[in-house]
DNA sequence: TTCTATTATCGTAATATTTCTATATACAAA
DNA sequence: TTTGTATATAGAAATATTACGATAATAGAA
């Protein structure tokens, strides 16, 4: 097993689950917080800031990019990552909608 | 490996990650939505509603209970589950706080 | 061109997650 | 007490995730 049966759930349920999964790791939370704290984009000082190996950080960044939560712009040999604000807000709205709808008809 | 290095992150980052992890599965999303739709508490019609085996549902319910998102009250040989509304709201607030703080100082 | 710094990818080991079957437990009814 | 229903737990198989070292790819500097 180990395989989530996505086919038995609807698009909204699967989409929410994917978003929550991307956010379900403290390293990725820390990366998002660090990227946002540098008010301009930053590069792989992330590796120094967070205590994880460079390939590990790179992989986390890839997962954050997979749902478009951050964007990476190549600047010479460096890459500057920043929060994708429109998507960030859209996801916040989606999650609030889930929380509100679920809460509204509750015992 | 396969082991998240929680010790290098702070309490807030780990707490957020745990919450997101519990929500990161479409079955658990579906269970929450179904529980809330039955405006009184319901029992294991969940097994019939969602297309998963009874022990699988039971384990998902356990994970949802682990962060106090739902509560189960024993009624005879049945158990009635319902959303724990105060905790639900608290978590929604915590997530909004994370989204807002992270967004506020962004590029 | 060659060197060096930055980032991405590959491969792999350890652990975690999802799901199921089988079984145990709890309780109500017969 | 015995039977049946509802739920939980144990154990196992398949797959996913986390993390790292090694290596590749890229681009500016020497």
């Amino acid at each position: 097993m180990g395989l989530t049966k996505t086919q038995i759930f609807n698009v909204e349920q699967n989409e929410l689950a994917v978003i929550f999964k991307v956010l379900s790791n403290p390293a990725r939370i820390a990366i998002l917080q660090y990227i946002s704290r540098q008010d301009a984009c930053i590069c792989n000082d992330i590796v120094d800031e967070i205590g994880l190996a460079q390939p590990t950080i790179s992989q986390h960044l890839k997962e954050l990019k997979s749902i478009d939560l951050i964007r990476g712009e190549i600047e010479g040999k460096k890459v500057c990552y920043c929060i994708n604000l429109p998507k960030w807000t859209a996801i916040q709205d989606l999650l609030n909608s889930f929380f509100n709808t679920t809460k509204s008809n509750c015992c």
Side-chain angles (χ1 to χ4, degrees), chain A:
Chain A
M1 305 278 133
L3 176 69
T4 304
K5 291 189 164 177
T6 53
Q7 48 334 323
I8 68 174
F9 303 106
N10 67 34
V11 173
E12 188 209 0
Q13 289 160 345
N14 283 307
E15 191 188 355
L16 284 167
V18 166
I19 291 168
F20 284 128
K21 181 160 289 175
V22 169
L23 294 168
S24 74
N25 180 290
R28 291 196 286 274
I29 299 288
I31 289 171
L32 289 169
Q33 289 174 329
Y34 182 65
I35 289 180
S36 91
R37 230 183 301 134
Q38 318 300 108
D39 69 51
C41 304
I42 53 99
C43 317
N44 267 23
D45 322 307
I46 304 175
V47 176
D48 298 329
E49 172 73 10
I50 319 279
L52 293 171
Q54 179 269 319
T56 307
I57 296 293
S58 198
Q59 191 181 302
H60 283 309
L61 290 169
K62 193 176 175 182
E63 288 180 67
L64 291 168
K65 268 189 287 185
S66 75
I67 59 165
D68 217 27
L69 213 44
I70 61 172
R71 276 179 310 186
E73 274 183 40
I74 298 166
E75 292 193 359
K77 60 184 166 184
K78 300 185 177 184
V79 179
C80 284
Y81 285 101
C82 63
I83 306 283
N84 181 355
L85 211 48
K87 185 71 180 186
W88 185 263
T89 305
I91 285 178
Q92 183 177 12
D93 291 347
L94 188 68
L95 300 196
N96 271 313
S97 168
F98 164 68
F99 273 91
N100 290 333
T101 305
T102 304
K103 155 171 76 184
S104 70
N105 38 14
C106 189
C107 43

